[in-house]
Amino acid sequence: MIAAELRSELMAGTLRPGAELSQVMLAERFGVSRIPIRDALRILAGEGLIEIEANRGARAITLTAAEVREIYDLRVLLECDALRRAAAHVAPAELEEIERVRRKSDLDAGTRAWAAGDWAFHRALYQPAGRPRQLAMIESLRRACRLHVSAYATMPAKKPRWLNDHRAIVEHLRKGDAQGAIQALQAHLEAAGRHLLERMAAAQD
C-alpha cells in the first residue's frame, strides 16, 4: 500500500519535515497513475502527517517550537488522565500484559521498530481506561511528534532514560501507587518534549 510505505518513511525520518511529495515523482516511483498517489496523500493528510495546499502540492508537516510545546502539553494532559483512569481499573492480568509489552519494547528500542514498540507500551498502559476516543487522540498527537523525533534523532540519545522511565511507571502500578506512576509519566513526557525542542534548536544554529 502506497500510504503505508510513505508513512513508514515519514516515521523513520527518511522523509524529513518539509519534504516535498511530488505526485509525478511518486507515480513514477510506484509505477502507478496519479490517482492512487492522490488517495494515499489524502490518507496521510487525514492523519496529520502531511499538508496539501492547492497549487503547491504536498509536503511533510513542519512543526514550529511553539507547536511542539503545545502538542506535548496536550499529551501530558491526555496521557496522564488516561493512566489515572487505567490505574483505577487495571487487573493483574492486564499488568502482566503491560510488563510483557514493556519487555518487548526494550528489545525494539535498539531497532527501527523502536517507535512502534514505544507506542505499544503506552497503548497497553492506557487501554484499561476504556477510552477509545481519547486513545485515538493520543495516538494522533504522538504520530505528529514521531515524525520530528525521527528526523532529529532524539530517541538514541536518551534511550536508557526512556526505558528506565517505562520500568518505573510499571513498578508504581504494581505497588498500587497510581500517583507515583502518573508523576513518572508526566516527567517522562516533559523530558521528551524538552529534548526534542533542544535538538530542533541546535539544528537551526
Side-chain angles (χ1 to χ4, degrees):
M1 185 178 178
I2 296 170
E5 177 64 23
L6 294 176
R7 184 187 302 110
S8 176
E9 293 178 8
L10 287 163
M11 293 297 92
T14 305
L15 289 172
R16 296 179 61 84
E20 182 179 355
L21 298 169
S22 164
Q23 290 188 25
V24 173
M25 293 180 66
L26 289 173
E28 291 178 356
R29 171 185 165 186
F30 288 101
V32 297
S33 71
R34 292 171 64 177
I35 294 175
I37 298 298
R38 282 197 295 268
D39 291 342
L41 294 178
R42 288 193 191 99
I43 291 171
L44 297 175
E47 295 176 355
L49 293 176
I50 68 170
E51 298 170 334
I52 301 176
E53 297 183 22
N55 302 318
R56 296 189 64 181
R59 292 182 180 276
I61 61 166
T62 301
L63 298 176
T64 65
E67 288 170 328
V68 169
R69 289 191 193 95
E70 181 181 13
I71 287 174
Y72 274 93
D73 286 346
L74 290 170
R75 285 186 56 185
V76 168
L77 289 172
L78 289 171
E79 296 189 42
C80 288
D81 178 74
L83 181 56
R84 177 179 62 81
R85 294 173 184 275
H89 299 96
V90 66
E94 289 170 317
L95 273 174
E96 291 306 314
E97 175 62 11
I98 289 169
E99 175 61 12
R100 185 194 69 78
V101 176
R102 186 197 67 76
R103 290 178 181 274
K104 174 66 164 56
S105 74
D106 277 8
L107 297 175
D108 290 338
T111 73
R112 291 185 62 183
W114 72 263
D118 183 66
W119 171 231
F121 169 71
H122 282 271
R123 183 177 58 218
L125 274 181
Y126 310 145
Q127 278 182 330
R131 307 269 288 188
R133 290 179 183 272
Q134 186 169 347
L135 197 62
M137 292 171 68
I138 291 169
E139 183 176 14
S140 177
L141 291 169
R142 290 176 62 89
R143 191 184 293 125
C145 293
R146 248 180 76 187
L147 193 154
H148 287 67
V149 167
S150 296
Y152 293 99
T154 67
M155 179 59 185
K158 292 290 183 178
K159 184 175 70 174
R161 155 113 191 231
W162 302 156
L163 299 184
N164 285 334
D165 288 350
H166 288 179
R167 294 187 192 99
I169 293 167
V170 175
E171 186 60 28
H172 282 300
L173 287 177
R174 285 190 179 279
K175 294 177 179 178
D177 180 11
Q179 191 56 38
I182 293 166
Q183 289 174 347
L185 174 62
Q186 181 171 346
H188 176 69
L189 295 173
E190 289 175 347
R194 285 194 303 271
H195 186 56
L196 174 55
L197 287 167
E198 289 168 2
R199 295 298 285 259
M200 290 172 65
Q204 294 174 355
D205 291 342

